[in-house]
Amino acid sequence: MAGDDLLVGIDFGTSHIKAIAFTRDGQIVASASAPTPTVYPQPGWAYYEPDAVWAQTVVALRAMTAKLDDPQRIVAVAVASVGEAGAPIDAAGQPTYPMIAWFDTRTKEQAEQLRQRFGADAIFRSSGVSLQPIFTLCKILWIQQHAPEAMARTVRWLNAADFLTFRLCGVAASEFSLASRTLMLDIDRLTWATDLVRDAGVDPAILPPLLPSGTKLGAILPEVAAQTGLPAHALVTTGGHDHVCGAMALSVTRPGAVLDSLGTAEAIFLATDEVLKDPEVGRRGYAQGVHVSGGYYVLGGLYTSSACIEWFRENIGAGLDYAALAAEGEAAPPGSLGVYFLPHLRTANPGYDDPHSRATFVGLTFDAKRGALYRALLEGLAYEARYSLASLLPYLAGTHIERIVATGGGTRNGLLMRIKASVYNQPLRVVSIDEATALGAAMLAGLGAGVYRDVADAVQSVRYTTTVVEPEPDAAQFYERGFHQVYRALYPAVRELHHAIVGLGD
């Protein structure tokens, strides 16, 4: 690879689709984004029209390549994406049904069908993930049961990144990290669990070939080159699941490091050497999968992180800008005048597994103004992240957390970072890479194109700076008490109320 050649990573995220060109050492040369075209037809439902997703990807790519002095410098492209979502396509490569969004909850009935048919523990032993409605097999079953004519025309199911990869180069394939989010991967054998899929009532023939992340697939299609400005000689490789790609970019590839990836959702990510077999790991909502760098990982976190902050800003903050909200939150003391927040806006987070849980503010008084509520929300996000990590560690015997690496757009919230460091009572290493997911995809592209010798070479080639956020001793002492005496008791205290609310039909 010449010194001025470039690698492109595409990040199909919950909020935006980004196209970013990087140098071999991970420096951004040009970037562009377009909003992810999400449709919300009714409460609990969300979907993407596949053609609209592709159109927005083309917009982002075209804007990115227009910023380059010579787009011919691009040698390879790969896609990272959200998990769980996917597109069914027909024999002509056209979508047969919308992509049900990863966070859509319409599929609770299908999850229950799988629970009754196989048992959650058996599915965990096979797939490495807990049985939850968001996972792909539940979405396929929903489409099959509610739009059978669409499934009758479907010849391939492509996960979100796989679909964009297919549009880029015409090759239908998947890879292990996104397959890990489907319930359909046999995580021990690294093959599709065809017997389970067939017994669930789905034809396993719709599942594409499985390949390692970073496998060369083919060149950019000529018509795509014309649309996007990408060079026709650029290679396309398999990509991966967004959080896992980000972990590789930040060198979280071996046990002992934690990646706290703060976006719309928040991933608490630990690399592991082996698959955890204790079914309690699945019962508590944790997920495992195949790392894009090889080996495995285990994943906790929050389904709504920055999404909680944005919800607050729009609905309670009346659209107040972030700096003003931060100033109000800074004015409130640790503990937020006794207000606590349970951040379950969509569902419970690992280590709970409860799709009926709801978000909750408790401890409200006349003294608690907007600033205290905002700080309580940030403290709730930090408490929940700590709970998700702390509840997982007993299953990882011998694992010592040596460092916590924070990345993503949420790290720009300085108040949140200081709160999190104090709640963890451990330094946070905030990295300078805002676009770790896209960088991870670009690194996979470089692996497939032979730019890097191997994963170690790719990881060692990337340059970034780290800012260490230290815990504040007095706040850390308070949060230690608040975590054990209040926060850990909060979900159990409101669980039955939330289930009663669901039972009454909201």
Side-chain angles (χ1 to χ4, degrees):
M1 178 179 178
D4 60 352
D5 285 348
L6 301 174
L7 302 168
V8 170
I10 298 170
D11 175 7
F12 171 8
T14 304
S15 303
H16 289 86
I17 299 169
K18 303 172 184 177
I20 305 178
F22 296 90
T23 59
R24 185 185 191 277
D25 61 357
Q27 306 309 297
I28 294 176
V29 178
S31 66
S33 69
T36 301
T38 311
V39 181
Y40 298 93
Q42 63 187 69
W45 288 39
Y47 68 85
Y48 321 111
E49 290 291 352
D51 288 338
V53 169
W54 172 244
Q56 291 293 79
T57 305
V58 169
V59 168
L61 283 167
R62 188 168 58 239
M64 182 273 293
T65 57
K67 297 177 182 179
L68 295 172
D69 57 357
D70 182 10
Q72 297 298 311
R73 297 162 60 193
I74 296 169
V75 298
V77 182
V79 184
S81 78
V82 296
E84 299 87 53
I89 61 171
D90 63 19
Q94 298 303 307
T96 65
Y97 199 79
M99 302 171 74
I100 300 176
W102 69 266
F103 54 86
D104 182 293
T105 58
R106 76 181 78 174
T107 50
K108 293 176 181 177
E109 180 180 347
Q110 286 67 39
E112 184 59 29
Q113 292 167 7
L114 292 172
R115 190 183 308 274
Q116 294 295 327
R117 174 69 180 83
F118 300 103
D121 287 354
I123 288 178
F124 175 80
R125 284 192 296 271
S126 171
S127 66
V129 295
S130 62
L131 176 54
Q132 298 180 37
I134 65 169
F135 288 125
T136 309
L137 180 55
C138 299
K139 300 180 191 303
I140 294 175
L141 289 172
W142 190 94
I143 297 171
Q144 188 161 278
Q145 293 167 18
H146 292 269
E149 71 290 347
M151 284 304 298
R153 294 185 288 115
T154 297
V155 301
R156 273 286 183 266
W157 180 275
L158 297 176
N159 294 318
D162 308 334
F163 172 73
L164 293 182
T165 300
F166 172 69
R167 284 293 182 92
L168 286 166
C169 69
V171 179
S174 193
E175 51 71 52
F176 299 121
S177 70
L178 281 168
S180 300
R181 307 297 294 176
T182 66
L183 295 180
M184 297 182 287
L185 178 70
D186 184 324
I187 196 168
D188 291 317
R189 296 180 176 84
L190 297 184
T191 62
W192 292 117
T194 53
D195 288 346
L196 182 147
V197 173
R198 187 179 296 108
D199 289 348
V202 174
D203 183 358
I206 69 172
L207 300 175
L210 278 172
L211 301 168
S213 299
T215 299
K216 180 172 66 176
L217 296 177
I220 295 289
L221 293 170
E223 60 270 27
V224 173
Q227 286 178 296
T228 63
L230 292 169
H233 66 254
L235 294 174
V236 181
T237 76
T238 50
H241 187 200
D242 50 11
H243 295 305
V244 191
C245 289
M248 185 179 75
L250 297 169
S251 190
V252 181
T253 58
R254 301 293 303 161
V258 174
L259 175 63
D260 191 343
S261 178
L262 295 99
T264 304
E266 179 173 350
I268 307 294
F269 181 103
L270 295 86
T272 59
D273 289 330
E274 58 187 3
V275 178
L276 301 178
K277 293 299 185 182
D278 189 332
E280 191 63 25
V281 175
R283 293 171 192 157
R284 296 186 71 129
Y286 294 102
Q288 301 175 87
V290 180
H291 204 308
V292 295
S293 65
Y296 301 94
Y297 69 85
V298 60
L299 189 68
L302 287 71
Y303 294 116
T304 51
S305 183
S306 295
C308 282
I309 297 172
E310 188 59 28
W311 167 84
F312 183 94
R313 190 179 75 89
E314 291 180 359
N315 296 288
I316 299 176
L320 196 67
D321 66 66
Y322 293 104
L325 265 183
E328 291 186 2
E330 292 271 13
S336 304
L337 303 177
V339 181
Y340 287 78
F341 177 70
L342 182 68
H344 293 182
L345 270 183
R346 286 196 175 114
T347 182
N349 305 300
Y352 303 115
D353 184 7
D354 183 1
H356 297 318
S357 187
R358 301 292 184 94
T360 306
F361 277 106
V362 299
L364 295 172
T365 67
F366 273 113
D367 296 326
K369 305 298 190 263
R370 184 169 60 192
L373 295 183
Y374 180 62
R375 187 181 184 105
L377 182 140
L378 299 185
E379 291 173 342
L381 294 176
Y383 279 136
E384 187 80 352
R386 175 177 169 177
Y387 180 82
S388 190
L389 177 59
S391 299
L392 176 61
L393 290 178
Y395 304 99
L396 295 164
T399 297
H400 173 68
I401 302 305
E402 299 168 358
R403 58 193 172 99
I404 301 176
V405 179
T407 188
T411 62
R412 291 191 288 268
N413 188 322
L415 176 58
L416 175 60
M417 291 301 97
R418 294 196 303 278
I419 290 171
K420 284 177 75 74
S422 296
V423 168
Y424 281 133
N425 198 17
Q426 190 165 337
L428 280 184
R429 289 168 169 80
V430 181
V431 298
S432 61
I433 303 173
D434 286 335
E435 304 297 349
T437 294
L439 174 57
M443 293 164 70
L444 292 173
L447 286 167
V451 170
Y452 306 111
R453 293 187 303 275
D454 51 29
V455 169
D457 181 36
V459 169
Q460 292 165 9
S461 298
V462 171
R463 295 186 294 108
Y464 52 84
T465 58
T466 301
T467 301
V468 178
V469 180
E470 297 284 353
E472 299 168 355
D474 291 344
Q477 289 182 20
F478 177 87
Y479 289 137
E480 185 70 17
R481 297 194 304 272
F483 179 72
H484 288 288
Q485 296 177 26
V486 179
Y487 193 79
R488 290 178 68 102
L490 181 51
Y491 165 78
V494 297
R495 178 185 180 278
E496 295 306 319
L497 288 175
H498 289 159
H499 283 239
I501 290 169
V502 172
L504 289 171
D506 297 345

